Amino acid sequence: VSNQAFDHNWDDHDILTAAVNAVLAAKPDSPVSALADGSTELTAFIPDDRSFRRVVINLKGSVRSLESSVFNDIAGLGIETVEQILLYHVVLGPAIDSAAALASGGAALTTAEGKTTLVNVVDTSIELVDKDTGLNNPRVFLDQVDINSGNKQIAHGIDRVMLPFKITD
């Protein structure tokens, strides 16, 4: 993917980058590699660092002040779990741009992890319904859509990590 440097900007994607790099270091043949090579058609819903911080708050009950601490907590879930979470953010196939996403209300998208996520659209709000019903669903940042548009891969920033399983009671 790229080199990440943890910083104090919770709006970027350092923790996501570190998670992808960790999975690929442990499992070079992981399907997560599609995110790193750019030749596979896909749409990625990319959570910012604050999104991962929210997951850790829900798991640990405390707020981490450093991105490196949040990453360590996420990595502590195990490489298989991190891989599942990452793949749940990817939809293989032709890129879904923001116009298509806004027209996709009610659609069930099959993720690279093998599970589905439902798309809810209200006006210009795009929500992705994940498997943890105890937490708020991720929403697409409307100022972070169509990242990398025109290429085989496109990304949309989201405000929460999509969870392929329940982490809350």
Side-chain angles (χ1 to χ4, degrees):
V1 166
S2 65
N3 294 324
Q4 93 288 332
F6 295 121
D7 54 31
H8 299 287
N9 178 3
W10 293 96
D11 296 322
D12 60 14
H13 303 96
D14 303 324
I15 297 169
L16 174 68
T17 301
V20 169
N21 289 337
V23 168
L24 294 179
K27 298 176 71 176
D29 295 330
S30 169
V32 169
S33 65
L35 292 169
D37 71 24
S39 64
T40 303
E41 289 186 327
L42 61 81
T43 302
F45 296 97
I46 56 173
D48 60 10
D49 295 338
R50 185 174 287 106
S51 300
F52 284 99
R53 188 181 198 185
R54 284 184 179 120
V55 169
V56 169
I57 290 168
N58 284 295
L59 286 172
K60 304 283 185 178
S62 60
V63 177
R64 302 290 190 242
S65 59
L66 298 174
E67 289 179 354
S68 58
S69 298
V70 171
F71 170 73
N72 289 336
D73 287 338
I74 295 296
L77 298 172
I79 208 69
E80 299 293 328
T81 300
V82 174
E83 180 184 43
Q84 279 184 297
I85 291 170
L86 292 174
L87 292 173
Y88 192 60
H89 288 79
V90 176
V91 177
L92 297 172
I96 303 167
D97 65 15
S98 58
L102 283 168
S104 298
L109 301 176
T110 301
T111 69
E113 193 267 340
K115 293 188 174 123
T116 59
T117 183
L118 181 67
V119 179
N120 284 338
V121 177
V122 177
D123 296 322
T124 58
S125 176
I126 304 167
E127 177 185 66
L128 302 163
V129 180
D130 68 9
K131 301 303 181 197
D132 194 322
T133 56
L135 298 174
N136 290 335
N137 288 314
R139 292 185 183 272
V140 173
F141 288 121
L142 294 181
D143 63 344
Q144 294 181 22
V145 295
D146 301 332
I147 300 166
N148 209 31
S149 184
N151 294 297
K152 288 186 176 185
Q153 298 184 347
I154 195 168
H156 306 294
I158 56 175
D159 69 350
R160 299 196 186 296
V161 173
M162 294 171 56
L163 296 167
F165 42 76
K166 193 167 180 59
I167 64 166
T168 59
D169 294 330

